[in-house]
Amino acid sequence: MSKKYCAYLCSGCGIGDALDLDELNGVVTKEMSMECKVHSCMCSADGRGLIQKDIEEGLNTIVIGACSPRVMTKEFDFGEDKIVVRANLREQVIWSEVKPVEGQEPHKEAAAFLQETAADYMRMACTRAKKTELPVPYQLEAVNKTIMVMGGGIAGLTAASEASAAGYQVLLVEKEDKLGGKAAGWRKSFPTKAPWTDLEDNPVDALIKKVTSDGNISIKTGVEVARIGGAPGNFAVSFKPTGTKSEWDAPAKVGVDEQDLIDKGQKEDPNAGLQKYTEVNPEATIVGSVVLATGWKPADVSKYEHLGYGAVKNVVTNVEFEELAKAGKVPANVAFIQSPGGAEDDKDFPYCNSVTSMVALKQAQYVCSDNQDGKAYILYQHMRTPGHMELFYKSAQQNNGIFMTKASVTKVEEKAGKLSVVAENTLLGENLVLDVDMVVLAAGMEPSTLYESTINLAYRQGPAFSDLELFDGYADSHFICFPYETRRTGIYTCGGVRKAETIEETIDDATGAALKAIQCLESTDRGVSVHPRSGDATYPEFFMQRCTQCKRCTEECPFGALDDDAKGTPLPNPTRCRRCGTCMGACPERIIGFKDYNIDLIGSMVKAIEVPEDDEDRLRIIVFACENDAYPALDMSGMKRNGINHMVRIIPVRCLGSVNMAWIRDALSAGMDGAMLLGCTYGDNYQCHFVKGSEIANKRMENIGDTLSSLGLESERCAAEQVAITDYDKIPMILNDFVDQIVEMGPNPFKGF
């Protein structure tokens, strides 16, 4: 499109008091060749009216120097056909000014430093506006809007029902011959309403009846998913009868070196057949999105030999006891063991949480209600009953037949037709011996994704989800920051594959996953991305003529958005893409980019920064800040009036994974004195919205030292730091310490070249 530009400077919120806007106006008009106007409050009706009037006269590219782009988003939304770029003059310039220490005189050039910072941000914003192009959404010719739900338990039944209620067709797939899952074997369920003390009827039968009578829901039982290929809006699914083998079972893992031999024809591809479902198989069932609700199984407790499971009669798991209770076979004296005890001492059984605590309280009530003199003994290390369930716990405490104590169980053995349970370290400080009819072990809820590849994806990255090893086998998204999401766009999890949950929690969870699946379908239909860059109409474009088939983009993409052909040429699947730009950061040939975010655009912004020569008070440090955690934290730091050194210049990036090392090399070659990446945490405390971006960027930065050495520069001029969104008070110290380190090294010797 032919662009007509105008920049607007806001003098409100103290900006006009701290900056010389006339001088800033001159920078925009003279250096950037762009018309510039000043208003006292750009976000007011009058200020927006000024812009709107210019739009009516042909303006289509707008630069606004005011508050952070994270605020006033509605006020400065002038339609999808307008380019709007924001320069953050408030939070990251005037509010981040370093205040003099009490008793010291202000730096004589403090006002000049502030003015220089503001001028650089306006230069970068104007450059960005000139380099940005309007995106053209990627839209499939036809989007299939059927939602496939895998699993016919409480989670799957609920997800299917909720998706149908929203008007969508649903394909429900269950590997067993009947619906209901584990819940079909439960006698009662936890209370869901006041007074939170009474057990309730199992809702699963009513839910099955509702789903089977729903005309929007098709049901397949006794089958498993053999393979899923394709992408959101066009997934190709093939099935197999439960328990049978198919060509897709257990595909071989192929390493990078092995793949090179395959590419050269020196080794046969063990997974050659996988290409069959990379494209849409005409014999496959087509669906638009997937809800994974394949549930859980009881964790293995046989390894705790002192508890006797598998060796001593009448030692059972909580799942087995529930089946006995439903059949009316509840013994009169039962010990419920919640923790392994022995050498494990304070630990619970694996995959236990509040659910297993409440199951013990529920099953203890069976013992008392089914036997006139029934006695239930609950031996625990941790008893968890969150929220209203504390009242459920209190009611069990008041039951004369239920006895609870904190204890470490050391032995379970058979004696004279009974079971003897030996425990020590009780709350009373005494050892305990119980003679009971049955022992129930609180086996935890292992997610199905831990022990089987239920999803069977025909993706280059493999048939399952996770190689992160961060979530103990659970589905691989961060269940606090972005629940239901997985690393495979269009596939959402709920129920036991996400975490151990009660029926009530599972129903909420399944509803959320169904809504996510719907959101994905509608976003795909519009040609825009899903979480976390919801609504982004851009997608990565490849200049294939210069592709060297290095495979870095396909290997580093966190979401499996890229397949590749036999030669290693990337095969994009745009509807799988989350628009993080990790592929762009990975590409050594710089051939991947977005309409509004690419190597040239950000590189030009870096070059737009004025780098003074031979002035140690005016060194320049570029900071690439992740837009998800680091940039908001920088804004909050400004709101707190924490000072950031005037030498720092900040450029927000989609994800640190999108940072191409060319930006770092070019910045230092052009005389910048230092460069830092500021992004989300990774590893055990992972918070990266794009899963692996921060980790990948950190590895790239570790390797840039050799490049800097070849340029005669210290590797310490580059750094990568991790911050959470709550670290706004730590950020000034992180940045200012880095500036001090650069100052100590002195100016970049490339200045002036």
Side-chain angles (χ1 to χ4, degrees):
M1 76 176 187
S2 177
K3 292 184 179 178
K4 182 177 179 181
Y5 305 94
C6 189
Y8 300 86
L9 296 172
C10 180
S11 63
C13 298
I15 295 174
D17 298 329
L19 300 174
D20 183 339
L21 295 188
D22 288 337
E23 182 180 329
L24 206 55
N25 190 313
V27 170
V28 174
T29 55
K30 295 175 184 177
E31 294 185 30
M32 307 311 299
S33 302
M34 191 177 293
E35 184 182 2
C36 187
K37 299 180 181 180
V38 179
H39 193 278
S40 60
C41 184
M42 289 305 311
C43 63
S44 68
D46 189 45
R48 297 196 309 274
L50 173 65
I51 300 174
Q52 193 63 51
K53 181 176 180 296
D54 290 345
I55 288 174
E56 292 169 2
E57 295 176 0
L59 175 69
N60 56 21
T61 307
I62 303 155
V63 176
I64 299 172
C67 48
S68 169
R70 298 182 60 255
V71 300
M72 301 295 179
T73 53
K74 290 184 179 179
E75 286 78 359
F76 296 131
D77 181 358
F78 296 102
E80 294 180 355
D81 61 338
K82 305 296 182 295
I83 294 171
V84 179
V85 177
R86 308 271 299 275
N88 194 341
L89 302 183
R90 188 178 70 173
E91 286 83 348
Q92 292 180 17
V93 180
I94 68 164
W95 285 1
S96 292
E97 179 185 7
V98 177
K99 301 296 182 183
V101 178
E102 187 175 350
Q104 291 184 3
E105 289 293 323
H107 194 290
K108 63 181 180 179
E109 294 187 274
F113 293 155
L114 206 63
Q115 193 72 25
E116 289 174 354
T117 305
D120 278 339
Y121 282 117
M122 288 306 298
R123 291 185 185 102
M124 286 193 286
C126 291
T127 301
R128 182 165 211 150
K130 291 178 179 180
K131 293 286 184 177
T132 295
E133 299 294 335
L134 284 176
V136 178
Y138 179 88
Q139 293 181 290
L140 297 172
E141 290 184 8
V143 174
N144 186 295
K145 292 194 175 182
T146 298
I147 297 171
M148 182 174 73
V149 177
M150 296 176 59
I154 290 286
L157 292 167
T158 302
S161 178
E162 294 295 333
S164 171
Y168 291 81
Q169 295 294 312
V170 179
L171 173 61
L172 178 61
V173 181
E174 167 57 47
K175 68 178 182 178
E176 303 297 335
D177 292 331
K178 60 182 181 179
L179 300 175
K182 297 257 185 331
W186 298 342
R187 171 169 155 178
K188 290 284 186 178
S189 64
F190 305 135
T192 60
K193 56 184 181 296
W196 307 97
T197 56
D198 304 319
L199 296 179
E200 298 178 2
D201 291 337
N202 188 340
V204 71
D205 289 338
L207 195 50
I208 292 172
K209 184 177 180 180
K210 181 180 180 181
V211 167
T212 53
S213 62
D214 191 322
N216 284 341
I217 302 175
S218 301
I219 300 171
K220 284 181 178 287
T221 56
V223 298
E224 299 177 65
V225 170
R227 209 67 175 163
I228 300 179
N234 198 24
F235 283 118
V237 187
S238 59
F239 302 98
K240 64 178 182 178
T242 300
T244 62
K245 292 287 185 180
S246 79
E247 61 182 304
W248 309 118
D249 288 332
K253 292 185 177 180
V254 178
V256 176
D257 293 339
E258 187 178 3
Q259 186 66 48
D260 287 340
L261 294 175
I262 293 169
D263 293 342
K264 295 173 182 176
Q266 298 174 9
K267 183 177 177 64
E268 184 178 350
D269 185 355
N271 296 322
L274 297 186
Q275 296 299 321
K276 177 178 179 182
Y277 285 109
T278 298
E279 302 300 329
V280 176
N281 177 7
E283 299 176 359
T285 299
I286 307 301
V287 300
S289 58
V290 179
V291 174
L292 182 67
T294 49
W296 54 277
K297 75 168 188 177
D300 181 16
V301 292
S302 62
K303 64 180 180 180
Y304 305 104
E305 295 180 2
H306 64 287
L307 300 180
Y309 184 76
V312 178
K313 185 180 179 181
N314 287 336
V315 177
V316 300
T317 65
N318 44 10
V319 172
E320 293 166 338
F321 185 81
E322 188 74 22
E323 293 170 352
L324 291 172
K326 188 169 185 180
K329 301 177 181 178
V330 179
N333 296 282
V334 181
F336 295 89
I337 300 176
Q338 300 302 104
S339 309
E344 297 290 331
D345 196 24
D346 191 50
K347 294 181 179 178
D348 289 334
F349 289 108
Y351 296 95
C352 281
N353 68 356
S354 60
V355 178
T356 43
S357 292
M358 292 187 290
V359 166
L361 295 175
K362 177 182 76 167
Q363 294 178 343
Q365 291 191 27
Y366 298 160
V367 175
C368 298
S369 63
D370 287 18
N371 302 279
Q372 185 174 356
D373 297 318
K375 292 182 175 60
Y377 305 93
I378 301 178
L379 309 175
Y380 63 88
Q381 287 295 343
H382 309 99
M383 180 61 65
R384 306 176 180 90
T385 52
H388 288 116
M389 300 311 291
E390 184 70 11
L391 298 173
F392 183 53
Y393 170 72
K394 293 286 186 184
S395 70
Q397 274 189 321
Q398 294 165 7
N399 189 316
N400 291 332
I402 298 176
F403 305 89
M404 290 183 270
T405 186
K406 181 179 172 69
S408 176
V409 177
T410 58
K411 184 188 298 184
V412 175
E413 58 185 351
E414 192 172 8
K415 282 188 177 180
K418 293 275 190 178
L419 295 179
S420 177
V421 179
V422 181
E424 61 184 23
N425 299 328
T426 68
L427 286 173
L428 299 176
E430 301 174 355
N431 293 339
L432 182 69
V433 179
L434 298 173
D435 292 325
V436 295
D437 302 314
M438 183 171 284
V439 168
V440 180
L441 305 182
M445 301 165 71
E446 283 187 352
S448 63
T449 48
L450 180 70
Y451 57 89
E452 57 186 30
S453 180
T454 54
I455 199 71
N456 292 320
L457 295 164
Y459 280 30
R460 184 188 194 281
Q461 291 77 5
F465 288 125
S466 180
D467 59 4
L468 298 181
E469 299 179 353
L470 293 177
F471 304 108
D472 298 323
Y474 289 113
D476 62 354
S477 64
H478 197 292
F479 67 88
I480 295 174
C481 292
F482 19 93
Y484 323 119
E485 306 282 347
T486 71
R487 290 177 61 195
R488 300 296 172 252
T489 309
I491 300 172
Y492 303 94
T493 59
C494 61
V497 295
R498 210 169 72 79
K499 62 186 180 75
E501 298 175 332
T502 65
I503 287 181
E504 190 175 21
E505 290 172 329
T506 299
I507 289 171
D508 287 345
D509 213 40
T511 303
L515 291 173
K516 276 290 186 180
I518 291 169
Q519 181 190 48
C520 177
L521 289 178
E522 296 305 321
S523 294
T524 300
D525 197 22
R526 291 165 48 216
V528 300
S529 70
V530 296
H531 179 89
R533 291 189 61 85
S534 300
D536 185 351
T538 66
Y539 60 93
E541 298 175 338
F542 294 71
F543 186 69
M544 293 298 187
Q545 292 88 332
R546 289 213 334 259
C547 179
T548 61
Q549 290 84 36
C550 70
K551 301 181 184 177
R552 292 185 191 177
C553 58
T554 55
E555 290 169 0
E556 293 191 5
C557 175
F559 306 108
L562 298 168
D563 295 314
D564 51 11
D565 63 17
K567 294 181 179 180
T569 304
L571 299 176
N573 295 278
T575 62
R576 293 184 195 171
C577 178
R578 304 276 181 91
R579 279 68 165 180
C580 62
T582 299
C583 55
M584 183 178 86
C587 182
E589 295 296 317
R590 314 184 194 187
I591 65 169
I592 307 172
F594 301 78
K595 292 290 188 185
D596 64 353
Y597 186 67
N598 51 64
I599 304 295
D600 177 52
L601 185 151
I602 300 297
S604 297
M605 289 175 66
V606 173
K607 293 172 185 175
I609 298 170
E610 188 176 75
V611 181
E613 298 178 19
D614 301 325
D615 189 339
E616 295 192 3
D617 282 340
R618 285 180 165 83
L619 303 185
R620 290 291 177 264
I621 290 90
I622 189 72
V623 174
F624 296 100
C626 167
E627 69 181 12
N628 295 302
D629 272 19
Y631 198 80
L634 283 160
D635 274 357
M636 286 189 278
S637 179
M639 292 169 67
K640 294 286 185 179
R641 304 305 198 272
N642 296 333
I644 294 176
N645 193 288
H646 67 275
M647 301 182 191
V648 171
R649 301 292 183 267
I650 298 162
I651 295 180
V653 294
R654 294 186 176 189
C655 173
L656 288 194
S658 71
V659 176
N660 195 291
M661 291 298 104
W663 296 339
I664 307 293
R665 291 190 294 268
D666 291 351
L668 294 176
S669 297
M672 299 287 281
D673 301 285
M676 173 181 279
L677 304 187
L678 198 61
C680 310
T681 56
Y682 63 88
D684 291 339
N685 296 318
Y686 137 77
Q687 292 180 8
C688 178
H689 284 58
F690 294 110
V691 185
K692 297 178 71 175
S694 290
E695 181 180 1
I696 289 170
N698 196 67
K699 289 178 180 177
R700 292 176 191 158
M701 286 292 276
E702 289 174 356
N703 296 330
I704 204 171
D706 293 339
T707 301
L708 297 183
S709 297
S710 67
L711 294 172
L713 296 174
E714 304 90 338
S715 60
E716 291 79 11
R717 289 189 183 272
C718 292
E721 295 288 345
Q722 304 168 56
V723 294
I725 197 170
T726 53
D727 287 339
Y728 52 86
D729 282 335
K730 299 178 183 177
I731 279 182
M733 182 178 67
I734 292 171
L735 295 181
N736 295 337
D737 285 352
F738 184 60
V739 171
D740 291 342
Q741 180 179 319
I742 299 298
V743 169
E744 187 174 340
M745 282 187 277
N748 182 341
F750 282 94
K751 284 184 185 293
F753 284 89

